Amino acid sequence: MRTQSGNTARVVVIGAGMAGARLAARVPGVTVIGEEEHAPYNRVLLAEVLAGRYEPDVIALPPAEVRRGVRVVRIDRADRLVHCDDGSVIGYERLVLATGSNPVLPPLRGLGHILPDGVHPFRTLDDCLALRAAVRPGVRAVVIGGGLLGVSAARALAECGAQVVLAQQGEHLMERQLDAESAGLLRSHLEALGVEVHTECRVRGLRCTDGATPAVRAVELADGYELEAEITVLACGVRPRTGLAQAAGLDVRKGVVVDDELRTSDPYIHAVGDCAEHRGTVYGLAGAALEQADVLAEVLAGGSARYEGTRALTRLTLRSPAAVPVAAGVAGAPGGLDLAAFGDSRPMPGDDVIRLADATRGAYRTVVVRGDRLAGGVLFGDLAAVGTLARTWQDDEPLPADMSLLHLLTNDGGF
């Protein structure tokens, strides 16, 4: 097996995101191919770059050898070759798909394959830098989507001085992580920063200017109301990038299907990160991507490591811009807000729920106990107990029969 350049790499990784960079740091001699011109970076910190708190070089990951600005267009499984858009062909002994995910573009009227001026996805460093260049004090910005990404974007835009409206279709913010009460506290915090929050709010379309280069002017809601917008941020979730895998004939469902060795339906091809589906789950989380890369590094080294799934903790810190006064009694005032969520915080029939709230200090804690195990929880404003709770949940061990459930929230000394 020979390539146009006359060599074959032991391991080729398609994708230079967090999973691909982590694998390159763990496995010697890996060839990494990345579409972006930037060196690998920590996408978890993109909101900090948008807010102007960090410059792009601050979020760079440890150096890795990456062929930047190169896109793989085809995988030849029979000859174990990858064909790139620059005409190069690279052979592999093992191939790793770390192609990540694409932002979901919602089916909105006025939104086509070419985005109107002023409409921004928020997924890559280029997205972030383009958005940062467009923001100025007083600009009207609408963020569509009230998940973790949308909340982070709204906070960062407010910190830049924009007039921000956050439109969330669901009943409350961050529905995947938070219960209604903690989501209400988060909403109060954002509103204290000047963000106008609309929940149970369905967006119907965009109103744009006419002409060869349309520009967004308003976001149209299903009830006919319009939100003026010079900038619109799409934070409607992500979808695994599986096009290469599908074209190569690999097993793809929601993501590229992998086993406990992160191996696809082709024994010479693995997948990790946002594009991978393991035991029916596509995680879409940085923590899972890094854990999968670590396991695969051991597998490629001949070890017996197996990936059993990830029990991920979500953390969010919202700092209060100095120019925006934060109301007394709002969680995290005046320095900001700290939030952590894990597992399933929405109780099912028969679950035990323990809550502690301190309105004066803006602190809230809740955990859900299902049977004899910790199912999930939320900590808001005061994270002193997060380490103990996260370990208890991640270990998935039965809780001591003689332990008071209240002790779960107060073993750090309580409020």
Side-chain angles (χ1 to χ4, degrees), residues 141-321:
V142 175
V143 178
I144 302 175
L148 177 61
L149 188 63
V151 167
S152 299
R155 181 271 298 178
L157 291 169
E159 198 159 345
C160 294
Q163 299 180 45
V164 185
V165 177
L166 177 57
Q168 159 71 338
Q169 183 169 321
E171 292 184 4
H172 59 73
L173 299 175
M174 290 181 62
E175 284 188 312
R176 289 182 60 186
Q177 294 89 8
L178 303 184
D179 62 3
E181 188 167 352
S182 56
L185 292 171
L186 174 59
R187 176 174 183 156
S188 296
H189 182 87
L190 289 173
E191 290 174 340
L193 300 181
V195 178
E196 182 181 327
V197 179
H198 295 265
T199 54
E200 299 184 87
C201 168
R202 190 166 65 84
V203 175
R204 181 173 60 189
L206 305 177
R207 180 166 60 80
C208 302
T209 59
D210 296 326
T213 55
V216 67
R217 285 294 174 262
V219 173
E220 301 175 347
L221 305 183
D223 61 5
Y225 187 76
E226 289 191 351
L227 302 170
E228 289 187 45
E230 298 163 85
I231 292 174
T232 300
V233 179
L234 303 177
C236 306
V238 295
R239 182 175 292 115
R241 294 185 65 184
T242 59
L244 277 175
Q246 285 180 313
L250 299 177
D251 186 7
V252 174
R253 295 172 196 164
K254 290 178 292 184
V256 184
V257 177
V258 296
D259 62 15
D260 292 353
E261 290 187 322
L262 290 312
R263 197 185 310 270
T264 70
S265 52
D266 184 320
Y268 298 101
I269 302 178
H270 301 262
V272 292
D274 290 5
C275 70
E277 177 181 338
H278 175 259
R279 299 185 186 178
T281 298
V282 176
Y283 287 94
L285 299 168
L290 298 179
E291 189 173 336
Q292 290 171 4
D294 288 345
V295 170
L296 182 54
E298 291 192 43
V299 170
L300 293 175
S304 59
R306 297 292 183 272
Y307 179 66
E308 300 291 337
T310 295
R311 297 171 71 83
L313 174 76
T314 298
R315 293 193 65 159
L316 177 65
T317 296
L318 299 179
R319 296 174 179 84
S320 302

Side-chain angles (χ1 to χ4, degrees), residues 31-36 65-70 84 86 88 90:
T31 297
V32 182
I33 305 169
E35 287 188 26
E36 294 188 62
E65 289 295 325
V66 178
R67 293 189 61 190
R68 301 189 206 173
V70 177
C84 303
D86 63 355
S88 63
I90 304 171

